[in-house]
Structures are given as structure tokens and as C-alpha cells.
Amino acid sequence: MMRPCVFADVRADRDAAAALRGGDKLVGRPRLRNDIDLVWPKEGLRRIPYEVYAREDIYARERARIFEGPTWNFLCLEIELPNPGAYRATFVGDVPVIVARHGDGTLHAFENRCLHRGAMLCLKPGTGKEISCVYHNWTYDLTGRLTGVAFQKGVNGKGGMPPEFSTAGRHLRQLRVATFAGLVFGTFADDTPALETYLGPEIAARIRRVMAKPIRPMGSVSQYLHSNWKVYADNLRDSYHASLLHLFFTTFKLNRLSMQGGIIVSENGANHVSYSKMASDRDDDYDAAKLRAKQDNFGLSDRTMLQGRDEFGDGITLQILTVFPGFIMHQIQNSLAVRQILPKRVDETELNWTYFGFADDDDAMRTIRLKQTNLVGPGGYISMEDGAVVNFVQRTLPGGIGDASIVEMGGAGTSSQDTRVTESAVRGFWHAYRERMGV
Amino acid sequence: MVVDNLQARYVAAIDNDRLEDWPGFFTDPCRYEIISAENVEQNLPLGVFFADSRAMLADRVASLRRANIYEAQRYRHIVSPALVLPPADNLTRAQTNFLVVRIMLDGDMRLFMSGRYLDAIDLSGPTALFAEKRVIFDNRRIDTLLALPI
């Protein structure tokens, strides 16, 4: 081959500009290690090159290889589509998707983009037998199959589609849908393993632990982050930062690193769960470290917020669980929610929070959940900092190109550990990422 | 007029970084919440913040001052005249629209929130106090984080 293939021409802006001026200059470049033109540091998973958070071309590749690739993406809670005929708009990565419950009760998901001119079909939740495009009234059933074209035969014998045009066999791009414990996931790829296999037994067990009985949605909110989606994905898997950044948590002994707890990383690195118990805390480690986070004279004057219940009966007061690429479930005391990480641009990300309780919650339990929402959310005592720090990381990227971050807490591996002072789940994420991206 | 005055003093305390005065605008117990209009329309109870005592409000201030990490910022509230609603439970009820502009330390300024206060006001004492203040915001999307009270 005389010239690099088209794919290899997709590279950082600086190189793309040069290529446009004179593509021939690319001939004779050193052979690329991969078609993304990204040289991963020799330290492997102990380093993350900053350009992965900043390059437009990498962002576009992520859509194809991760979000539209062999991954399961969280679409909604099953209870958000309670009745046959219900549908709602969601996203897989930044691709608009509709998820629907057909009249026969089966769940379907398909791209939210009309086959005709590409207009968005659905903007808000609805109910019906079909979905029509507002632009030219092409209609689809709730499996995504094209069922009608307005004026297909023309009007008064004039106009209309050519006689050979048929609606048969035309379908909005479909996703395969699978549910697990009340969570609805979708995948664009044919070769994605079965959902439960993809989750792995330990992650599956900890989803089941929370989704133990029928749930009831309690509210949702969106948080707009000024960072690449992976900066937030890292943050979620980074149990090391919890008691260093989130001072509130530490001060009230909700999540000290010395507590009993640990981290479980699925075999392929992609998914993780981090957990801790409030009991068995030791002060020594903290006193020795003289952490900023230690401020014993700080107390709550109204402690009702923290007076929760051990509703799962195992003493675990914190469980944060992620499924590659963009699903999060948390249980923090009695605050329960799922989050969807949605990339919007290379440097902007939307976080969709959906809180829930159980259908059999009594009034007291509802009040506990109401108060504990103060802990976790866009304004939460132990989570608001994440919105700030992911942006702090993003802002330094112009100077960080060519450099890499250090991810060595807890060694170099991606295995489960019985400490939370580790970055093994972060490395696990990047293991899964590199495998899918081919970098 | 009394309601407008209360509202003006309330937002001035927040905008001028007198957060310690904020709980004093409420009765004890009270109800204060920040919740999206979307959740209110769907009868979903959870918002972004909820408190039912002055102490919980004071805890929020203590946490913002001493525990939480967020980039230095301040608000400028623009409030409408109050629309007085029919009273209930011996409390004056009113709706007041608001805009909150957030100004960051680096000079960035943008519209952070629009919405309405649905208030129940106790006028029986020497000072008007909020027995209930529901902050119902129109924008489902919260930019970066919500630290200071609205």
C-alpha cells in the first residue's frame, strides 16, 4: 500500500490539518502502532496519556468502538416503561435512542432517527401503538419497523414515492435489549456477550442485592459536567479519592479508608463494585496521616439525615457499582440511584441521576431517602466535589498533551482488593477501554 | 409588600455571602427543598436538597464553609414581585419567580437557574418567616454542581 489507509489519516487536529495541506507528507511516517495513532506509555495501565481525554478523533472512535460496539449500555429502569405502549427517549453514548415496551409486553430499542431525513422521532416519554416523525409523518411501530409513509401514493394521482418503494423490511437501527434485575440495557453490536456474562457473577450479585424487591422511582436530575466522560468514569472507579476529597463523608465516619471494605473488579476489568461498612473504624491511620479531612470538632446539629436503616441486612453502608462503559448504581446508606454517563462532546458530559426507593417503603423510609438525597447528587455533601474536580482535570489538558497521569495505587494490576486505597478499578476500566479501542 | 421585603432580604443574605443568616429566615421546624419542576409535575418527591429544621439548614452552611470543596462562586438573585396566593393553615402563600446568575472567581458569569419559590410564610411573629420554601427550578440540568442555597 502506497499511502496510509483512510482510518490512519484520522488523527489529532494538528496532524489532520497537515494532512489536508499535503497528504503525501504522511507517506514515510513511522508505521503506527494502531490506527488511532496513539502511543500508549510503556508503563501500560499504570499510565493514562492525557490526550485520550482531549482528542476529537478519539471521541469519534469511542462512539463506534465502545458505545456502538460490543458493550451493554444502560437505557432505563424497567419500571420507567410500566405498561405496554410506553416509550421514552434515551441515549447510548451520544446517539439518541428510543426504548419502548411493545403491546405484547416485549422491550425494544432502536435509534431515535427517522429513516427519511434523520429527524429525531421522540423527545419525551409517551404511550401509543406507533411513533410518528413530526417532520413528514413517517410512522413506526414500537419495534422500530417502518409502517407508513405519508402521501406514499401521492395526492390526486400526482407526486408520491416511486411505485417500487416499499415500507417492507425497513427498520430503524435496532439494538438488542436485555434486562437484569429491573435494569434495561441495550447493545448495537451482534457479538456482545449475554448481559449476565458481561456483568460477571460478582457484579450481578451486587446488583441483585440492591434490586431485591420491586422499586419505585423517586426523582431524577441531570448534572452537566465540563469534562470528558472518562474523567468522570475514572472518578467513579477511584475509591482512593473518596475520603481525601469528600470531607463530609470522612468527618462523619461514613467512608474512612480504614473501614472494613474493599473493591471487586470483574474479570475483564470492565465492571467494578466498591463497598464499605460503617463499623470497625480505626482512627490511628488517619491521625498518623494528619489528613486535611480530619476535623474532629466538626459535628452535625441535626443528625436525622444519618439515621437510616440497614435495609439490606449486611451492614454495608456504601456500595458504588459501575458497568462499562457508562452505568453507575449507588447505595449510600438509604440513598439509592442509578446514573447514566452520557458523553455530549469531547469535553462535556451529562450525568443522568434517577433515584428510587422500594414500592413497600413506609412514610418514615421515604423521609429518610428524602433527607439522604442531601448526601449524593449534584449538590450532595459527598458528591458535589466530583463536579468540580473533573473540570479541574479537563482544564489542564492543553498542557498535558504528551504527558500521562500516574495510576499506581495498589500496584499495577486490576484485581479485586480488600482495601479501598487502590486504583485497581481505574486500571480495570482502561484495560477494557484499550482492548475495545485497539490502543 | 411584606412578602417582597422578606424575599429581598432573603436573597440579599445569600448574594452577599451572609449564609449564616440564612437559617434565620425560617421557622423551626420548617420545610425547605430544591426540586426540579419536572419532578414536581410527575409527583416525584426527591430533589437536590431537603431540610425540615433550622439545624439542617445550619448544617448545610457549616458543611459549605468547612467541608465541601467547590470553586469560589457567588450568586445574583433576580426576583419578581410576589404573587400572593390564597392562604392556608394560617400561613400566607406566595409564588415568586427567580433567576440566579452564578459568577465564578475567574469572571465567568452565566445563568445558573430559573424557577419559582412556592412559599408559606408565617406573619404571626415580629418578623416574617418562611414556614415552607419550595425552590422549584425549571432547568432539569444543573451545571457542574449546586453548592450555595437558592
Side-chain angles (χ1 to χ4, degrees):
Chain A
M1 199 166 73
M2 293 298 290
R3 292 164 62 100
C5 70
V6 173
F7 274 153
D9 276 346
V10 181
R11 53 189 83 239
D13 287 348
R14 56 178 193 274
D15 289 346
L20 283 173
R21 285 194 298 272
D24 287 347
K25 287 180 187 164
L26 294 173
V27 177
R29 277 176 63 98
R31 191 179 150 77
L32 300 175
R33 284 186 59 241
N34 51 61
D35 64 358
I36 294 181
D37 189 17
L38 176 67
V39 179
W40 202 276
K42 61 183 187 318
E43 293 89 345
L45 296 173
R46 290 176 296 150
R47 293 289 182 277
I48 303 166
Y50 286 112
E51 59 196 295
V52 294
Y53 304 107
R55 279 172 48 181
E56 298 274 0
D57 63 322
I58 290 179
Y59 179 84
R61 286 305 177 83
E62 288 166 352
R63 182 185 305 122
R65 295 190 184 175
I66 292 178
F67 295 101
E68 295 181 338
T71 57
W72 284 104
N73 295 272
F74 175 70
L75 301 177
C76 67
L77 296 168
E78 205 172 344
I79 198 161
E80 292 179 288
L81 296 171
N83 303 314
Y87 57 85
R88 54 192 299 122
T90 183
F91 287 89
V92 168
D94 57 6
V95 177
V97 162
I98 297 170
V99 55
R101 190 182 290 279
H102 189 263
D104 65 9
T106 54
L107 291 168
H108 299 268
F110 36 86
E111 203 179 343
N112 190 359
R113 176 171 61 87
C114 185
L115 291 173
H116 176 218
R117 298 299 308 272
M120 191 175 273
L121 293 161
C122 168
L123 287 100
K124 55 182 184 180
T127 307
K129 286 200 163 94
E130 47 184 36
I131 296 171
S132 310
C133 182
V134 294
Y135 201 174
H136 303 90
N137 206 36
W138 286 35
T139 54
Y140 302 86
D141 69 14
L142 292 192
T143 71
R145 189 172 61 86
L146 179 65
T147 53
V149 169
F151 304 135
Q152 186 178 348
K153 309 285 184 207
V155 177
N156 296 330
K158 293 178 183 171
M161 296 292 275
E164 64 272 21
F165 180 86
S166 166
T167 57
R170 294 183 190 268
H171 211 289
L172 297 167
R173 186 161 61 129
Q174 278 180 295
L175 291 88
R176 191 150 49 97
V177 175
T179 62
F180 181 80
L183 309 174
V184 183
F185 288 85
T187 182
F188 275 112
D190 295 329
D191 56 344
T192 317
L195 177 57
E196 201 163 339
T197 309
Y198 181 90
L199 296 172
E202 287 171 311
I203 305 301
R206 276 150 186 90
I207 293 175
R208 276 202 205 93
R209 170 181 169 272
V210 172
M211 307 294 275
K213 49 185 179 177
I215 62 164
R216 173 183 293 167
M218 293 188 74
S220 64
V221 70
S222 141
Q223 183 176 5
Y224 208 74
L225 302 172
H226 295 268
S227 81
N228 183 267
W229 69 276
K230 301 186 297 300
V231 182
Y232 191 75
D234 285 344
N235 175 275
L236 255 295
R237 287 162 176 83
D238 166 8
S239 51
Y240 170 39
H241 85 279
S243 1
L244 300 166
L245 174 66
H246 305 302
L247 175 56
F248 187 91
F249 225 175
T250 307
T251 307
F252 295 104
K253 299 182 195 285
L254 291 168
N255 182 32
R256 294 201 174 179
L257 291 175
S258 53
M259 282 178 187
Q260 194 185 336
I263 200 159
I264 297 167
V265 186
S266 67
E267 203 175 324
N268 55 5
N271 315 321
H272 103 290
V273 60
S274 165
Y275 63 94
S276 66
K277 296 183 178 186
M278 258 175 102
S280 71
D281 187 28
R282 283 170 46 240
D283 267 355
D284 326 359
D285 300 343
Y286 263 73
D287 289 339
K290 287 185 182 164
L291 297 177
R292 169 185 64 77
K294 177 79 175 174
Q295 290 187 12
D296 265 341
N297 56 347
F298 183 43
L300 275 189
S301 42
D302 184 334
R303 296 187 59 86
T304 59
M305 179 176 72
L306 301 179
Q307 288 159 3
R309 295 182 190 166
D310 181 16
E311 60 182 324
F312 302 106
D314 54 11
I316 290 175
T317 49
L318 173 145
Q319 173 179 293
I320 295 184
L321 180 151
T322 63
V323 176
F324 188 89
F327 174 71
I328 304 151
M329 170 185 273
H330 84 238
Q331 171 238 330
I332 292 171
Q333 300 215 6
N334 301 112
S335 168
L336 309 175
V338 290
R339 286 173 241 177
Q340 209 181 10
I341 304 178
L342 300 177
K344 292 295 166 188
R345 291 155 38 117
V346 68
D347 56 356
E348 291 182 9
T349 301
E350 184 169 25
L351 201 54
N352 268 333
W353 301 72
T354 305
Y355 297 89
F356 59 90
F358 295 110
D360 64 358
D361 281 354
D362 55 24
D363 285 346
M365 196 65 210
R366 272 194 290 277
T367 302
I368 291 169
R369 297 200 206 280
L370 210 55
K371 291 189 178 183
Q372 292 190 347
T373 304
N374 294 354
L375 288 171
V376 211
Y381 284 128
I382 58 167
S383 58
M384 71 168 81
E385 289 87 359
D386 294 326
V389 295
V390 296
N391 179 241
F392 293 169
V393 173
Q394 192 74 23
R395 273 192 241 170
T396 70
L397 291 177
I401 302 305
D403 203 353
S405 61
I406 300 165
V407 190
E408 298 200 14
M409 271 284 158
T414 62
S415 58
S416 302
Q417 300 193 0
D418 59 3
T419 172
R420 300 182 70 232
V421 193
T422 178
E423 293 171 317
S424 63
V426 178
R427 288 185 292 272
F429 173 87
W430 287 98
H431 174 76
Y433 179 91
R434 292 180 63 185
E435 205 169 68
R436 284 167 175 85
M437 291 288 283
V439 295
Chain B
M1 197 61 195
V2 180
V3 177
D4 286 337
N5 183 266
L6 173 63
Q7 216 71 261
R9 288 186 290 115
Y10 174 89
V11 300
I14 296 171
D15 292 352
N16 296 321
D17 195 29
R18 288 186 282 108
L19 298 184
E20 284 70 15
D21 293 348
W22 176 57
F25 286 95
F26 293 84
T27 59
D28 195 24
C30 60
R31 182 187 176 92
Y32 173 83
E33 62 179 328
I34 305 175
I35 186 168
S36 71
E38 185 188 44
N39 286 349
V40 170
E41 280 158 21
Q42 295 175 20
N43 273 322
L44 297 172
L46 284 196
V48 183
F49 184 74
F50 173 88
D52 60 5
S53 71
R54 271 192 184 179
M56 279 187 87
L57 299 172
D59 286 339
R60 179 73 181 182
V61 176
S63 184
L64 290 175
R65 294 289 197 213
R66 303 182 56 182
N68 294 119
I69 312 290
Y70 54 97
E71 210 169 345
Q73 55 189 266
R74 57 197 170 86
Y75 292 161
R76 182 71 61 202
H77 284 73
I78 308 296
V79 292
S80 76
L83 171 66
V84 178
L85 304 169
D89 307 325
N90 294 321
L91 297 169
T92 299
R93 301 208 168 242
Q95 175 182 316
T96 307
N97 295 338
F98 66 81
L99 290 178
V100 177
V101 176
R102 186 171 64 184
I103 307 102
M104 307 303 289
L105 190 63
D106 67 2
D108 183 61
M109 177 186 81
R110 57 183 76 185
L111 190 57
F112 179 58
M113 199 169 263
S114 78
R116 62 192 198 272
Y117 294 125
L118 275 187
D119 299 325
I121 300 154
D122 184 348
L123 298 176
S124 64
T127 318
L129 295 172
F130 294 113
E132 188 178 306
K133 190 171 195 64
R134 304 185 74 199
V135 181
I136 301 173
F137 60 96
D138 304 322
N139 46 307
R140 178 178 186 273
R141 200 182 253 188
I142 291 179
D143 187 273
T144 307
L145 58 84
L146 183 146
L148 309 177
I150 304 291

